[in-house]
Amino acid sequence: MELQEALHRLEDVQRKLFAYNSAANALYLDGVTVAPKDTAEGRGVALGVLAGERHKIMTDPALAETLAFLEQHKGELDRLHARQVEELGRSVRQITRIPAEEFMAYAMLTNEADDVWHRAKECSDFELFRPVLEKLVEYNRKFAEYYDPDKAPYDALLNEYERGVDMAYLGDFFAVLRSKLVPLIKAVGAKPQPDDSFLHRTYPVQAQREFSDYLMRVLDLDRAHCGIGETEHPFTLNFTSQDVRITTNYKVNDVASSLYSVIHEGGHARYELDVDPQVEYTCLAGGVSMGVHESQSRFYENIIGRSLPFIKAIFPKMQELFSEQLADVTAEDFWRAVNRAEPSLIRIEADELTYCLHIMVRYEIEKALIGGTLEVKDVPETWNRLYKEYLGVDVPDDAHGCLQDSHWSGGSFGYFPSYALGSAYGAQMLRNMEAEMDVWGPVGRGDLSAVTAWLKEKVHKYGCLKTPAEIVQNACGDFDPTAYTDYLTKKYTELYGL
Ligand code: ZN
């Protein structure tokens, strides 16, 4: 094989994978946005075929041969191709380690699990979900062994979501969070709560849509390259760095809900749109990892979006659109209301301060389930005990407890910690950003261009040209979770007058 021929094959395979992914994404997007409600069947068949084709491409011996050849000629490759060979080679190795029949059986199981989980959640009946969850845990323990037999099973799974992250890394991280946040939450709890009732007045959806348009302009999201739709659960989907879609959900009695989901998803979109076009149509396109992605969405949502300077900047527009609802409210009232912190039951509704404790509960349970020290049948009891211990709340039923998230039914074990890591990475990026430039002056004028330029330079532009650990190093330096606890302590001390 000639080097040029091998590179040509490499490019060809990646374009095919891009096309299959695009087709699957388009079907998915259609299904959750405009498709009529009883039309899922055909899309399900098509998605199954597309997944099968992608699997065939990835497990084709000819691809393994091409990659092996290129690995032998690594010294002759430029950085772009060397990274493609590294990343695609890794994905191929991971996928071919799982026997094809187990891979297919698992795909069917997660499909079934999603349906069972929905029903179990609806009637708050963990027993209904238990047999499926047992099988999912079993499979994931087996897959962990395939991925890396030298690692503890949960470490092997964590490594699939956030390369380089393991239980030792997370243990240190969560220990710092626990020691600093538990007393901070207690101190906040002893103070009177700000009034947030005005957030729940009636906010007409049409005015909220106009407000979203405004927010997208503030985030500099070019509508020719970034669309916004409406779905039950907001998300971001990227086709290319020229074509990104976000969604939101409008609640008539909760103006903050869509406000912050647009900024959150807008942060994900900002990242995708800023990736260097030279990695387009390759396995290096798009954000590098879930943790780094969340660091960006949460940076815009919490660090910028829930700051007093930013709220002061956008408040005149809010008062223009919601003149009656906000007539007796100041920007500072609004800032206090959207930062109200209180231990609660539901992760996705949790405030910035208590959010990580929700993650820690899930981490402890996953670690024990995959490590084999907790049986599935004991999950509800453990869940409820940990919620009491970490957050001081009583879980009334499994729908508000261990059945609330879809992750396990989708077969994702080891995914949750990325949310907490993302928040912590973002806080450390802020610390570095503040050392280099005036962050809050421009933000106070509604100008995010300097913030976005900094993030583009340190994080966004690379796509997967660097590994997640290299990106974190590039933007944060050595990971230091106290940057995050310091940030929260400062913020909540000011908010609650501690
Ligand atoms: Zn997100």
Side-chain angles (χ1 to χ4, degrees), residues 155-274:
D155 279 345
L157 295 180
L158 287 168
N159 196 51
E160 289 304 298
Y161 291 106
E162 207 65 33
R163 206 98 46 83
V165 166
D166 58 17
M167 290 184 275
Y169 187 90
L170 289 172
D172 292 347
F173 171 46
F174 286 137
V176 172
L177 294 196
R178 196 174 308 140
S179 71
K180 305 273 182 176
L181 296 189
V182 171
L184 182 60
I185 291 167
K186 216 172 236 163
V188 164
K191 293 283 181 175
Q193 285 290 3
D195 174 26
D196 66 353
S197 59
F198 55 82
L199 296 176
H200 303 286
R201 289 171 180 164
T202 303
Y203 292 85
V205 168
Q206 194 45 45
Q208 290 200 50
R209 286 198 187 106
E210 273 178 57
F211 187 45
S212 294
D213 291 341
Y214 165 79
L215 288 171
M216 287 185 73
R217 286 198 295 278
V218 172
L219 288 164
D220 195 24
L221 295 169
D222 177 355
R223 295 297 283 270
H225 294 287
C226 182
I228 180 166
E230 293 172 33
T231 52
E232 191 187 339
H233 300 288
F235 62 85
T236 301
L237 192 68
N238 59 303
F239 288 91
T240 68
S241 66
Q242 303 289 307
D243 183 1
V244 181
R245 318 296 175 90
I246 67 170
T247 69
T248 186
N249 182 279
Y250 297 108
K251 296 195 170 87
V252 177
N253 294 113
D254 186 358
V255 73
S257 173
S258 174
L259 158 58
Y260 286 107
S261 75
V262 170
I263 302 179
H264 180 98
E265 302 308 331
H268 283 305
R270 197 56 275 155
Y271 186 176
E272 292 295 337
L273 292 162
D274 284 345

Side-chain angles (χ1 to χ4, degrees), residues 234-236 264-265 268 290 293-294 297-298 301 415 419:
F235 62 85
T236 301
H264 180 98
E265 302 308 331
H268 283 305
M290 159 71 194
H293 237 302
E294 281 301 309
S297 55
R298 280 157 200 275
E301 178 195 349
Y415 189 104
Y419 293 117

Side-chain angles (χ1 to χ4, degrees), residues 19-296:
Y20 281 115
N21 281 332
S22 295
N25 281 344
L27 284 171
Y28 172 76
L29 188 64
D30 176 69
V32 295
T33 52
V34 297
K37 81 174 170 50
D38 292 330
T39 59
E41 198 179 320
R43 278 190 307 280
V45 172
L47 283 167
V49 172
L50 289 172
E53 290 302 311
R54 268 181 298 176
H55 190 253
K56 258 188 233 163
I57 292 174
M58 291 294 281
T59 54
D60 181 357
L63 174 59
E65 201 182 301
T66 304
L67 287 166
F69 174 86
L70 288 167
E71 267 159 20
Q72 279 164 17
H73 293 79
K74 216 175 167 179
E76 299 155 56
L77 300 179
D78 59 25
R79 183 159 151 270
L80 195 62
H81 287 112
R83 275 293 292 154
Q84 287 172 21
V85 169
E86 224 170 85
E87 282 305 308
L88 198 61
R90 185 180 188 281
S91 303
V92 165
R93 275 192 296 280
Q94 295 305 69
I95 208 166
T96 45
R97 277 176 183 154
I98 300 173
E101 62 277 14
E102 279 182 43
F103 187 87
M104 295 314 282
Y106 184 65
M108 279 162 72
L109 176 65
T110 50
N111 200 26
E112 179 202 340
D114 180 63
D115 186 50
V116 176
W117 168 73
H118 269 108
R119 280 188 286 129
K121 187 181 173 185
E122 233 162 69
C123 49
S124 193
D125 182 1
F126 182 75
E127 271 309 297
L128 196 62
F129 187 48
R130 184 182 53 79
V132 184
L133 185 56
E134 279 167 354
K135 282 187 212 160
L136 288 165
V137 169
E138 201 56 36
Y139 266 109
N140 274 276
R141 287 168 53 98
K142 221 190 295 177
F143 289 174
E145 175 81 18
Y146 293 141
Y147 292 147
D148 193 339
D150 298 331
K151 281 194 167 89
Y154 192 49
D155 279 345
L157 295 180
L158 287 168
N159 196 51
E160 289 304 298
Y161 291 106
E162 207 65 33
R163 206 98 46 83
V165 166
D166 58 17
M167 290 184 275
Y169 187 90
L170 289 172
D172 292 347
F173 171 46
F174 286 137
V176 172
L177 294 196
R178 196 174 308 140
S179 71
K180 305 273 182 176
L181 296 189
V182 171
L184 182 60
I185 291 167
K186 216 172 236 163
V188 164
K191 293 283 181 175
Q193 285 290 3
D195 174 26
D196 66 353
S197 59
F198 55 82
L199 296 176
H200 303 286
R201 289 171 180 164
T202 303
Y203 292 85
V205 168
Q206 194 45 45
Q208 290 200 50
R209 286 198 187 106
E210 273 178 57
F211 187 45
S212 294
D213 291 341
Y214 165 79
L215 288 171
M216 287 185 73
R217 286 198 295 278
V218 172
L219 288 164
D220 195 24
L221 295 169
D222 177 355
R223 295 297 283 270
H225 294 287
C226 182
I228 180 166
E230 293 172 33
T231 52
E232 191 187 339
H233 300 288
F235 62 85
T236 301
L237 192 68
N238 59 303
F239 288 91
T240 68
S241 66
Q242 303 289 307
D243 183 1
V244 181
R245 318 296 175 90
I246 67 170
T247 69
T248 186
N249 182 279
Y250 297 108
K251 296 195 170 87
V252 177
N253 294 113
D254 186 358
V255 73
S257 173
S258 174
L259 158 58
Y260 286 107
S261 75
V262 170
I263 302 179
H264 180 98
E265 302 308 331
H268 283 305
R270 197 56 275 155
Y271 186 176
E272 292 295 337
L273 292 162
D274 284 345
V275 172
D276 189 330
Q278 70 166 329
V279 297
E280 208 78 274
Y281 315 125
T282 74
C283 63
L284 306 179
V288 73
S289 72
M290 159 71 194
V292 175
H293 237 302
E294 281 301 309
S295 76
Q296 299 308 289

